Amino acid sequence: MSDDTARKDTPEQAEFRTYCREWLQANKPGEPPVRLPQSPLEIMTTEQLGYLQAWQKSAYDAGLVGCDYPVEVGGGGRKDCQKIANEEMLAARTPFLPNVIGLGMAAPTVFYHAREEVKAELLPRLFSGEDIWCQGFSEPGAGSDLASVQTFAERRGDTWVVNGHKVWTSLAHFAEWMIILLRTDKSHKYDGLSYFVVPIRAALGKGVTVRPLIKITGETGFNEVIFDNLEVDDRYRLDELGKGWQVAMTTLLHERGAGELQTPRAGGMKNKSSHTISSSAVIELAKNTRRGEGTAADDPILRDKMMQQLIREEGLKQNQRRSRVQALLDHPMRLLLQNKLLASEIAQSLGSLALEVEGMSSSLYLADPNAPARGQWPMAYMNSYGMTIAAGTSEVQRNILGERVLGLPKSK
């Protein structure tokens, strides 16, 4: 972390930064026993999950996860310190935190909208990674048009009976809990939605069926989840009946990086079984890829594309810095919402550039010993399309920016 950043720390943040740095130096995990996926959303095996859960649990026990949440719900009771822990975990090149949906979407939604006893029940095990979470939003007939979800919850006293079908549900094959948007009134599109948390692991075969979906990469991070008379206690409803759309906006704002609470983040570990997706890795790839009498790095067209990639990444980095300075914000949401759009498209262009550097060798996959970078770049490119779809497609993001930030008329 730069001296400039450290100088801007409050005394509490500076003390916490020193603590994080020293703890990470002494407790950084060793070489994983299995090949790790490129992101938490591609975790496929219990061995991968077990290693990553142990890492998240140790970071949580040390106070590096959930720092800014109140102690009463399992947090650290600090103020504006999660970003310090994030910066130090990323600088230390740790493994990523596996409970990405729980930390980034479920935790803030539960915190802002659940009953106090439910927060105290669910959040500690979410922060520790002992309970994995998934998100039940998309359906076969409701993707970008999220308000059209039809999975229905019928009230029977203090219990709700859920029937329907969710799809593209990342990590559902390991999840204990799901945040879910349900229809509770068929006569209103938006006001007929309510928001719940539901226990899916405990109900497997008793109202819940999880079916893995094989992606183009060959991985199984996605799933479809079918509900057949699943009974859910009313205490697991978040906020008032019919307020599901408003609660979902809390989830989506945090998923897009525009929420009030910082999501715990770690990653960047370099080892034999993982692969770092970065511009520096593409530059290194180009230097080691033969092209004619030289290397791909000698190709002026590729060099220009690499520079354009670096310029875009630097622009995003500076936008993220600016978004943390209130006096520099012309609109409170513009940069925050813009960052999700740009970050996902920049990741996609990076994967595309890597395949261009590899040339015909980009057709070689993981199992081929001749594949450059162990076949990781074709996988990164294919996975990048999920990033431009998740949390709302790039087209949806541009509509949001146009309507809510620029004040343009709604599209029809």
Side-chain angles (χ1 to χ4, degrees), residues 170-325:
S170 300
L171 294 180
H173 53 309
F174 290 124
E176 277 80 16
W177 290 88
M178 173 189 283
I179 48 174
I180 187 169
L181 189 62
L182 296 171
R183 184 155 300 284
T184 49
D185 186 340
K186 296 181 180 180
S187 63
H188 297 278
K189 182 171 182 179
Y190 290 92
D191 294 342
L193 297 171
S194 299
Y195 201 114
F196 292 77
V197 295
V198 299
I200 64 169
R201 174 59 64 87
L204 287 175
K206 297 176 289 185
V208 174
T209 301
V210 177
R211 296 175 180 167
L213 297 171
I214 308 299
K215 299 190 293 185
I216 194 173
T217 61
E219 296 171 316
T220 57
F222 285 145
N223 304 268
E224 57 181 346
V225 183
I226 299 168
F227 298 95
D228 182 13
N229 291 325
L230 172 69
E231 295 186 358
V232 180
D233 196 293
D234 185 58
R235 69 194 292 266
Y236 292 128
R237 172 172 48 84
L238 304 193
D239 218 299
E240 299 175 24
L241 190 65
K243 296 294 184 182
W245 186 253
Q246 292 89 327
V247 179
M249 292 306 101
T250 298
T251 305
L252 292 173
L253 277 175
H254 284 85
E255 184 178 6
R256 294 163 181 162
E260 294 182 5
L261 286 165
Q262 284 270 339
T263 296
R265 298 188 189 282
M269 184 170 73
K270 290 184 176 180
N271 54 56
K272 297 175 183 177
S273 66
S274 64
H275 181 66
T276 300
I277 306 301
S278 66
S279 287
S280 59
V282 174
I283 292 171
E284 189 65 25
L285 177 71
K287 290 178 179 179
N288 293 309
T289 300
R290 300 301 305 172
R291 185 68 55 85
E293 297 298 319
T295 68
D298 299 321
D299 185 326
I301 295 177
L302 284 177
R303 291 174 70 89
D304 181 66
K305 290 183 177 182
M306 289 179 202
M307 283 305 304
Q308 293 300 318
Q309 180 73 23
L310 290 169
I311 289 168
R312 292 186 71 194
E313 290 182 8
E314 183 63 24
L316 177 63
K317 177 182 175 181
Q318 297 306 322
N319 267 354
Q320 290 170 334
R321 289 184 62 203
R322 179 180 167 186
S323 68
R324 295 192 289 268
V325 182

Side-chain angles (χ1 to χ4, degrees), residues 46-120:
T46 54
E47 291 78 14
Q48 291 173 333
L49 181 63
Y51 171 82
L52 293 166
Q53 277 184 302
W55 151 240
Q56 181 170 327
K57 178 70 162 55
S58 67
Y60 170 68
D61 289 343
L64 275 65
V65 175
C67 322
D68 297 340
Y69 286 81
V71 173
E72 294 77 16
V73 299
R78 298 180 180 272
K79 182 179 179 181
D80 295 331
C81 281
Q82 187 62 64
K83 64 181 180 182
I84 304 299
N86 292 357
E87 289 167 356
E88 294 303 320
M89 286 191 285
L90 290 166
R93 296 189 179 279
T94 66
F96 51 71
L97 301 169
N99 205 12
V100 59
I101 294 170
L103 295 171
M105 291 175 258
T109 309
V110 169
F111 178 70
Y112 284 121
H113 298 283
R115 305 177 190 193
E116 293 301 320
E117 67 271 17
V118 172
K119 299 178 193 180

Side-chain angles (χ1 to χ4, degrees), residues 322-339:
R322 179 180 167 186
S323 68
R324 295 192 289 268
V325 182
Q326 195 64 37
L328 297 179
L329 300 181
D330 56 342
H331 187 288
M333 286 286 102
R334 181 174 73 84
L335 290 177
L336 295 173
L337 291 173
Q338 179 180 306
N339 284 345

